[in-house]
Amino acid sequence: TNLIEISPHFLDNNRQLEVLHLFDNKLESLPHGLLNNLGELEEFDASGNSLTVLDPNFFYHQSKKLKEIALARNQFKTLP
């Protein structure tokens, strides 16, 4: 089953998460605040979705541990 949308609180109880793969779904947007409580996140992959825009502050609250961001194969019109 492909994800179509995600709640902003989807990951609230996963504070120790280091890798988040959301690739190859049908996501059209990523909610503001989705990653806010993921201070251990090192890798984020949302490639292969239907994303057209990305909030300029989407990665704002991320720690310095975030080393890899994959957003290829989406439908972005512009990137922040």
Side-chain angles (χ1 to χ4, degrees), residues 29-46:
S29 65
L30 296 170
H32 180 73
L34 178 68
L35 307 180
N36 283 2
N37 296 317
L38 302 180
E40 300 298 315
L41 192 65
E42 296 179 12
E43 181 181 324
F44 177 79
D45 187 347

Side-chain angles (χ1 to χ4, degrees), residues 6-76:
I6 298 176
S7 162
H9 304 289
F10 175 68
L11 300 168
D12 281 356
N13 295 320
N14 294 293
R15 295 177 189 270
Q16 299 302 315
L17 193 67
E18 295 178 1
V19 176
L20 178 58
H21 288 162
L22 297 173
F23 59 85
D24 293 336
N25 284 287
K26 295 181 180 177
L27 296 171
E28 294 180 0
S29 65
L30 296 170
H32 180 73
L34 178 68
L35 307 180
N36 283 2
N37 296 317
L38 302 180
E40 300 298 315
L41 192 65
E42 296 179 12
E43 181 181 324
F44 177 79
D45 187 347
S47 58
N49 281 284
S50 298
L51 301 172
T52 57
V53 295
L54 186 64
D55 184 319
N57 296 313
F58 185 75
F59 295 104
Y60 181 76
H61 293 286
Q62 283 307 296
S63 71
K64 295 177 182 172
K65 292 185 177 190
L66 185 59
K67 296 179 180 104
E68 185 175 332
I69 299 170
L71 297 170
R73 297 182 291 114
N74 278 288
Q75 300 172 6
F76 290 114

